[in-house]
Amino acid sequence: MENIVKNQKKFIDKVKKLNENIKKYYNILTMGCQLNENDSEKLAGMLEEMGYESTEDLNLASVYILNTCCVRENAEEKLFGKLGELKKLKYQNNGIIAVCGCMMQEKHIQDKLKNSYPYVDIIFGTHTLQNFPEDLYNSIIGKKKVKDILDIDGEIYEGLPIKRNSNKTASVTIMYGCNNFCSYCIVPYVRGRERSRKPEDILKEINNLAKEGYKEVTLLGQNVNSYKGREDYGFAELLRDVQKIEGIEIIKFVSPHPKDFTDDVIAAIKDCNKVSRLLHLPLQSGSTEVLKKMNRKYTKEQYLKLVDKIKAQIPDVLFSTDIIVGFPEETEQDFEDTLDVVRKVNFEQIFMFIYSRRVGTVADKMKNQIPEDIKHERFDRLKNLFEEQVVLNNEKYIGTTQKILVEGVSKNNSKMLTGRTDSNKVVVFEGSQNLIGNVINLKIISEHKWYLKGEKKFP
Ligand code: SAH
Ligand code: SF4
Ligand code: F3S
């Protein structure tokens, strides 16, 4: 593995040489989840080492990267729209268009790009990110199309350059792929089987982040709590080791699967005070019947029991979740079960999705697909219920003291700062800019549905 990374360094140097004395810029558009964002940070790291600088100005850029997602249909519309936009710019700037990410692992998309978008220069998939310097070099020198896609599971490459989006909070991918094959989901087909990084590599990365001044880390994986670093070292052990790293104050993780929320993981969260008390626990549906068809491996009752068990161990815990409405064959009663779980758990945050058919998945072949109008009607009902709960939840914050990571100046009012509570609520407050990047205590004084107002406590 190391040899491959070393070999790519040679290509980094070769491209750098081509760029000597010329200022060149790149632009990366990332669609999709935090794993894709983390991959983009690695691509940015490689490009910076090759002498490119980042720009938001597409007229200035000569390397355009579109890092794609295919989890829902609208992601595809976005890609093809964007490609249309880039066509003219590419010829104007003698630029290179590279398309990568999850969608590139789908054969029908590869064909569509080949047939309808001949001006795309490089396409590469989720298992070949590390080859990007070589692919870019070949495209510049050879002036030919490069296709670099592997269907087999990729290896894990350590030591790739990285340029992070933030200097306060960092994402660390701890495992790749997914073995769950939920019947609606394309991810296992485009990201391959589960592979975990070695504990020592992860801890080294986080130790370095702490030295660089990062206060918050988010551990990432499609199924993050099925992490297995060694036979005797799983997600619970990793949390306990990250807790020990001095300088890191907040530890988050996404996305866990309810079935892997084992007792040792709950105990580790309880013992580690740096681990965020807002836990993401994807529900997907509240109906046992639908959950079975989704291949989620738990029932409505088991999910609620798990929530109760975690609450009993960790009294200040809060939950966020993902819910899909309009899964094939979902009845009114099934949907009512989802609303019932939402009422019972009282989630802090719900990421709501309308079911989207994905080619190649089991659910796509199910007969009774739900009509669009019913899907939308259910989506709105779920949204209304959640919004009622948000206001009630917010009221509970008033008068409490909250630990806040200060993120920056408020977009709507330059005199105010903004930050987030441990439970991910936006808090706006008055304070001096040198607080940015610090974790401070604030008293919450009022609620405004999508944000809270806080006051700095003076000792
Ligand atoms: N591995 C994570 C995240 C997967 S993708 C997890 O299991 O939680 C993020 C979310 O997108 C999923 O949780 C699911 O709610 C949603 N999703 C996935 N496939 C979908 C589809 N075909 N239609 C609508 N939503 C989908
Ligand atoms: Fe998709 Fe399920 Fe895997 Fe999440 S756990 S990525 S929803 S197959
Ligand atoms: Fe999308 Fe790929 Fe993430 S399909 S959700 S970018 S793993």
Side-chain angles (χ1 to χ4, degrees):
M1 272 353 83
E2 270 171 28
N3 281 344
I4 289 182
V5 175
K6 256 191 209 141
N7 190 37
Q8 288 302 320
K9 288 247 186 269
K10 285 187 200 145
F11 285 98
I12 286 182
D13 291 339
K14 282 184 179 184
V15 178
K16 194 174 175 173
K17 214 161 193 159
L18 296 176
N19 287 343
E20 243 169 9
N21 307 321
I22 327 167
K23 235 186 174 30
K24 288 206 161 175
Y25 295 89
Y26 68 92
N27 179 277
I28 304 180
L29 175 68
T30 312
M31 303 167 224
C33 65
Q34 293 181 58
L35 284 154
N36 250 19
E37 288 286 353
N38 195 222
D39 282 347
S40 287
E41 290 181 326
K42 290 172 191 160
L43 290 168
M46 297 177 205
L47 282 157
E48 299 265 333
E49 289 202 356
M50 290 187 266
Y52 292 89
E53 269 179 50
S54 166
T55 180
E56 289 303 309
D57 182 356
L58 293 181
N59 280 308
L60 209 59
S62 58
V63 175
Y64 308 94
I65 300 186
L66 300 174
N67 193 0
T68 62
C69 168
C70 53
V71 80
R72 285 171 293 274
E73 197 175 2
N74 53 8
E76 282 168 27
E77 290 156 17
K78 197 168 166 190
L79 169 69
F80 295 118
K82 206 74 209 165
L83 278 175
E85 224 177 278
L86 285 180
K87 185 177 180 182
K88 210 170 110 200
L89 283 166
K90 173 204 150 108
Y91 290 118
Q92 243 171 36
N93 299 349
N94 194 18
I96 285 178
I97 300 180
V99 191
C100 62
C102 295
M103 217 190 281
M104 297 308 106
Q105 298 293 137
E106 294 186 290
K107 177 80 174 62
H108 68 282
I109 298 285
Q110 293 169 18
D111 292 344
K112 185 163 175 179
L113 280 179
K114 193 171 153 207
N115 297 330
S116 309
Y117 299 85
Y119 54 91
V120 170
D121 301 279
I122 305 172
I123 65 172
F124 60 101
T126 55
H127 304 302
T128 40
L129 181 100
Q130 68 289 341
N131 297 344
F132 178 62
E134 182 174 353
D135 294 340
L136 182 63
Y137 179 77
N138 285 337
S139 171
I140 298 173
I141 287 294
K143 296 245 179 271
K144 59 170 194 216
K145 284 193 195 317
V146 179
K147 179 176 166 190
D148 191 0
I149 294 171
L150 271 180
D151 280 333
I152 51 161
D153 294 347
E155 305 283 350
I156 293 176
Y157 296 92
E158 297 293 343
L160 295 178
I162 186 157
K163 179 173 180 268
R164 295 182 185 274
N165 295 332
S166 156
N167 53 13
K168 299 170 199 79
T169 154
S171 297
V172 176
T173 301
I174 64 165
M175 51 96 63
Y176 297 86
C178 180
N179 292 352
N180 290 331
F181 288 92
C182 302
S183 64
Y184 50 81
C185 185
I186 194 77
V187 170
Y189 302 91
V190 296
R191 286 272 175 182
R193 297 295 67 72
E194 290 176 5
R195 289 97 67 199
S196 291
R197 284 175 71 193
K198 287 196 201 116
E200 52 273 26
D201 289 330
I202 297 169
L203 295 169
K204 193 167 116 194
E205 180 175 348
I206 301 177
N207 261 305
N208 286 337
L209 288 167
K211 280 188 204 128
E212 288 168 35
Y214 284 89
K215 301 271 191 291
E216 178 180 302
V217 287
T218 303
L219 309 176
L220 297 181
Q222 279 305 348
N223 195 3
V224 75
N225 53 346
S226 73
Y227 171 80
K228 199 136 198 66
R230 280 196 308 265
E231 207 36 59
D232 57 347
Y233 193 105
F235 190 59
E237 286 72 26
L238 182 66
L239 283 181
R240 290 180 189 278
D241 277 344
V242 179
Q243 163 81 17
K244 289 183 207 140
I245 297 177
E246 221 173 290
I248 297 299
E249 293 178 37
I250 301 172
I251 304 165
K252 296 182 176 173
F253 56 87
V254 277
S255 233
H257 193 297
K259 78 171 169 55
D260 297 306
F261 240 103
T262 45
D263 289 348
D264 62 333
V265 171
I266 300 171
I269 297 169
K270 181 182 173 185
D271 294 343
C272 298
N273 67 339
K274 295 178 181 176
V275 175
S276 168
R277 265 37 191 161
L278 176 67
L279 299 180
H280 189 61
L281 201 61
L283 170 68
Q284 311 303 358
S285 167
S287 151
T288 296
E289 203 46 44
V290 173
L291 286 167
K292 203 167 156 197
K293 292 174 192 160
M294 285 179 162
N295 191 27
R296 288 292 291 178
K297 303 180 181 91
Y298 52 86
T299 63
K300 174 186 182 184
E301 290 69 31
Q302 283 167 336
Y303 184 92
L304 287 171
K305 236 180 163 165
L306 176 63
V307 166
D308 285 344
K309 182 155 92 179
I310 301 174
K311 276 186 180 162
Q313 300 268 336
I314 312 166
D316 56 345
V317 74
L318 298 164
F319 294 98
S320 62
T321 200
D322 289 358
I323 294 176
I324 299 176
V325 299
F327 183 80
E329 295 173 11
E330 182 187 68
T331 63
E332 184 55 29
Q333 184 50 48
D334 291 325
F335 179 64
E336 280 296 334
D337 275 334
T338 299
L339 297 181
D340 187 45
V341 176
V342 169
R343 279 189 205 102
K344 289 195 166 114
V345 180
N346 201 5
F347 295 105
E348 283 293 307
Q349 232 172 334
I350 305 180
F351 300 93
M352 304 170 204
F353 306 106
I354 289 177
Y355 169 72
S356 172
R357 294 176 79 158
R358 303 286 69 206
V359 174
T361 60
V362 173
D364 183 41
K365 296 184 195 84
M366 288 172 68
K367 290 234 161 57
N368 284 331
Q369 299 286 330
I370 305 294
E372 285 304 312
D373 54 337
I374 295 181
K375 283 192 206 168
H376 281 92
E377 187 256 339
R378 287 183 187 159
F379 184 88
D380 290 343
R381 274 159 67 200
L382 174 61
K383 194 162 146 261
N384 290 341
L385 170 62
F386 175 62
E387 287 185 7
E388 283 166 28
Q389 288 187 322
V390 168
V391 175
L392 288 178
N393 278 335
N394 282 352
E395 281 167 2
K396 284 189 270 171
Y397 282 83
I398 299 172
T400 62
T401 299
Q402 298 287 328
K403 193 167 84 173
I404 311 281
L405 175 66
V406 186
E407 289 176 346
V409 176
S410 163
K411 274 193 199 121
N412 302 323
N413 183 343
S414 60
K415 290 202 188 88
M416 306 289 272
L417 296 178
T418 132
R420 272 171 203 273
T421 63
D422 187 27
S423 55
N424 216 25
K425 287 236 176 267
V426 176
V427 183
V428 176
F429 64 101
E430 224 172 298
S432 88
Q433 292 200 8
N434 56 21
L435 292 174
I436 294 171
N438 289 305
V439 177
I440 62 165
N441 281 323
L442 284 181
K443 190 172 170 195
I444 305 302
I445 52 172
S446 57
E447 78 86 21
H448 306 261
K449 198 162 178 181
W450 302 122
Y451 69 96
L452 303 169
K453 212 170 230 170
E455 207 170 60
K456 190 156 155 36
K457 290 180 52 165
F458 296 98

